[in-house]
Amino acid sequence: MGESPVFGTGSMVGRRSFLRAGLLLGGAVAGSGLLSACGGPGSSSSGSGGGGGSSRSLTIGTVVVDDTMNPMQEQYTTFQFNAFDGLVRRLRGDEQATPRLAQEWTRRSDTVWRFKLRQGVTFHDGSPVTADDVVFSFTELIGKQYANATVLTGVKDVRKIDATTIEIETQAPDPLLLSKVGQVFVVPEKYWKAKGPEGFMAAPIGSGPFKIKSFSVDRGVEFTAFDAFYGGKPKTSEITLRYFTDATALASAVEAGEVDAAQNLGAETIKTLGGRDDIALHTDFSGNQNMFQLNTTRAPFDDIRVRQAAIKAIDVKALISALTYGAGVIEDGQLPISGVVGYDSSIHRPAYDLEGAKRLIQDAGAGGAEVEIFGMSIYKRLYEAIGAQLQAIGLKPKITAVEIPVWVKSFRTGTDAHVFYRGASYTGIFDADRVYQHVSSSKKPFVKDAKWDSLMTDQRTELDEAKRREKLSACARHLLDQSYILYTYGAPTVGATRKGVSGFDNGNGLMLLLDGVTKEG
């Protein structure tokens, strides 16, 4: 299904978080008003369209709407990764972080990392990227507690060592620091201070491969190539990221050739646009999964036999076929999916076994037990499908499908439901810790297990990568052994490209990298 909000310590739920929850079913609604003095992109004719034209420009449609061009106030957005740059970058499937503004880095102790900056890098106005700019970008972000500061909880200090070197110190050993640092984007300190945040948003300056030519929350973003980018010129000189209010309208624009590519289309598009010669569909898993949790503190799921029965009752292949047209990725007895750090290919979910599940329910004396499945209303079809499978083994499901704000409140304050759609997104940090942190962290935790808490704590401070992978595997095996999770599937992120478009990477969730996208003709 669509991406769910991710709630870390101190995080805030904004419009983008609500948007993440509703992408698949067209839940995104663009706001109103012009947010930039630069003016906004034009109509569909501002791009080259899908029917030919110059290879110097192309148009990409999306339902992922940004409220602002402030790189500190958004998380994991296309404009951040293309108009700005960070010290390092680590995306899904990357074994190691790759150099960006930092040319190299070393861990000087368990809590201190030193970064050596790349020389000769400039911002879009020609001014050099300095150590002062880097330190300012971190300290301003943390000090003002902009939305993106949530990725830096645990950072104790960011300091300049010399003109080309900075250090980051954490409060405790943090194996995810490089992934987190990759979500922080550097701004020019003097320009930011001279313009102020509002003035900066009106005419943003970064050091990424593209400059922001214009932005409108109604229409989208116009990017133009930054020819002096240290990594080389982008393959396309001008790219328009055009906003759409829902996935249906976006799919129609793809079909009509009004856009060259599209991001975050609904799963229904797999059926309606699939099999065409002029359109290629991309159904990548980009870090978004369902994550249903069983409440082990209440009957009937306080009995492990009932939990085991529920897991055996889920015909996940049938769910994937019916709800994602075959594009979902099975949660194979563990929450991490291939490409996420912590995935273990030797772990597998119990086989679908309807008769075995019925016997477990009978042995536990749980026949006819009422179980409430609670979650956002936009996924009601999924709850109903799971409810039907649980009913088939003798349980009595009750579906409680609520609006997003009600679900958010329950996520934060806890719920007494028997099965909770917790949802999970690895967007930005493709590591199993991202979902494991929610297993017992609620104000009304579904799991009270000292061994689980110990396993979680142990992996969170392990800096040796090989040892940490072993500890993450131990976490996965414990969850499976105790049957704490009702495993379903990871959702596909559906994208599309028209014939002739190449270099479109749909595997990074809400964010697109634009510098490699090009079109023939």
Side-chain angles (χ1 to χ4, degrees), residues 23-308:
L23 285 176
L24 179 69
L25 300 183
V29 179
S32 60
L34 188 66
L35 295 192
S36 172
C38 302
S43 64
S44 60
S45 61
S46 65
S48 61
S54 171
S55 61
R56 287 180 50 82
S57 65
L58 57 82
T59 300
I60 299 174
T62 182
V63 295
V64 184
V65 179
D66 292 311
D67 294 319
T68 173
M69 292 289 102
N70 181 347
M72 299 189 190
Q73 191 60 22
E74 295 283 6
Q75 291 183 327
Y76 212 71
T77 66
T78 295
F79 86 84
Q80 286 172 313
F81 278 80
N82 291 280
F84 297 87
D85 212 349
L87 289 173
V88 302
R89 177 179 289 175
R90 191 173 187 182
L91 303 177
R92 178 191 173 221
D94 288 345
E95 291 294 322
Q96 304 290 337
T98 56
R100 299 295 294 183
L101 295 179
Q103 192 168 354
E104 57 186 54
W105 52 91
T106 55
R107 179 163 53 84
R108 297 178 63 81
S109 73
D110 284 353
T111 58
V112 176
W113 295 71
R114 179 168 287 188
F115 296 83
K116 193 76 172 178
L117 300 184
R118 187 187 301 273
Q119 295 302 287
V121 179
T122 66
F123 289 107
H124 298 153
D125 64 352
S127 61
V129 177
T130 68
D132 291 320
D133 295 315
V134 176
V135 172
F136 171 78
S137 298
F138 277 85
T139 56
E140 181 78 356
L141 175 64
I142 296 171
K144 298 291 177 61
Q145 280 296 291
Y146 287 108
N148 212 17
T150 59
V151 302
L152 294 180
T153 55
V155 170
K156 181 179 180 180
D157 188 32
V158 181
R159 52 186 175 259
K160 175 182 175 181
I161 302 303
D162 57 39
T164 62
T165 312
I166 69 146
E167 279 186 351
I168 299 177
E169 183 177 359
T170 58
Q171 295 172 358
D174 187 351
L176 300 180
L177 181 70
L178 291 178
S179 294
K180 295 174 181 178
V181 166
Q183 311 305 308
V184 179
F185 298 90
V186 175
V187 300
E189 178 183 11
K190 292 181 180 178
Y191 183 77
W192 179 282
K193 288 181 175 178
K195 295 290 186 179
E198 294 298 324
F200 184 90
M201 287 185 286
I205 291 177
S207 61
F210 285 92
K211 297 182 284 187
I212 295 174
K213 183 179 179 182
S214 69
F215 165 65
S216 164
V217 74
D218 290 317
R219 298 186 294 277
V221 189
E222 284 183 325
F223 297 94
T224 184
F226 177 41
D227 292 343
F229 178 62
Y230 67 86
K233 293 174 58 176
K235 290 188 176 181
T236 301
S237 299
E238 297 180 356
I239 295 180
T240 296
L241 189 67
R242 180 182 166 196
Y243 293 160
F244 285 78
T245 57
D246 60 70
T248 301
L250 178 54
S252 297
V254 174
E255 192 169 17
E258 295 176 8
V259 298
D260 300 294
Q263 175 197 31
N264 284 107
L265 291 160
E268 186 72 17
T269 312
I270 298 172
K271 182 176 69 172
T272 58
L273 294 183
R276 292 180 51 143
D277 293 334
D278 59 337
I279 297 172
L281 289 181
H282 310 262
T283 55
D284 309 83
F285 169 73
S286 60
N288 161 37
Q289 63 191 98
N290 293 308
M291 188 178 176
F292 285 91
Q293 191 169 358
L294 300 174
N295 191 343
T296 69
T297 68
R298 296 188 63 196
F301 291 126
D302 57 346
D303 188 324
I304 191 172
R305 293 171 295 180
V306 182
R307 301 198 298 270
Q308 291 170 340

Side-chain angles (χ1 to χ4, degrees), residues 317-470:
K317 292 182 179 179
L319 294 179
I320 289 173
S321 176
L323 299 175
T324 74
Y325 301 95
V329 182
I330 291 176
E331 292 175 350
D332 199 9
Q334 56 191 310
L335 287 170
I337 290 173
S338 181
V340 174
V341 175
Y343 170 76
D344 187 335
S345 61
S346 69
I347 297 176
H348 301 289
R349 65 186 291 141
Y352 169 61
D353 183 359
L354 185 61
E355 295 306 315
K358 289 179 179 178
R359 286 193 296 272
L360 284 167
I361 293 294
Q362 185 176 20
D363 291 346
E370 185 172 288
V371 293
E372 180 186 17
I373 303 173
F374 185 101
M376 290 176 281
S377 59
I378 54 175
Y379 304 137
K380 188 177 180 181
R381 284 184 62 208
L382 175 59
Y383 312 149
E384 291 173 341
I386 290 172
Q389 293 182 350
L390 294 181
Q391 185 174 12
I393 64 171
L395 297 175
K396 187 178 179 182
K398 171 189 174 185
I399 308 299
T400 303
V402 299
E403 295 305 306
I404 293 174
V406 178
W407 175 83
V408 169
K409 182 178 179 180
S410 298
F411 191 106
R412 288 175 161 175
T413 62
T415 174
D416 292 321
H418 300 92
V419 184
F420 185 62
Y421 177 89
R422 193 165 296 283
S425 173
Y426 296 105
T427 295
I429 300 176
F430 288 90
D431 190 279
D433 179 77
R434 196 75 181 261
V435 292
Y436 287 167
Q437 65 181 297
H438 298 308
V439 170
S440 60
S441 63
S442 169
K443 291 183 178 180
K444 290 184 178 180
F446 278 19
V447 169
K448 295 180 180 179
D449 181 343
K451 182 177 180 180
W452 167 253
D453 292 339
S454 176
L455 289 169
M456 266 293 294
T457 300
D458 201 22
Q459 64 84 17
R460 298 198 91 173
T461 56
E462 179 58 68
L463 296 174
D464 183 284
E465 291 191 17
K467 291 180 180 178
R468 184 166 181 270
R469 286 179 184 271
E470 291 177 0

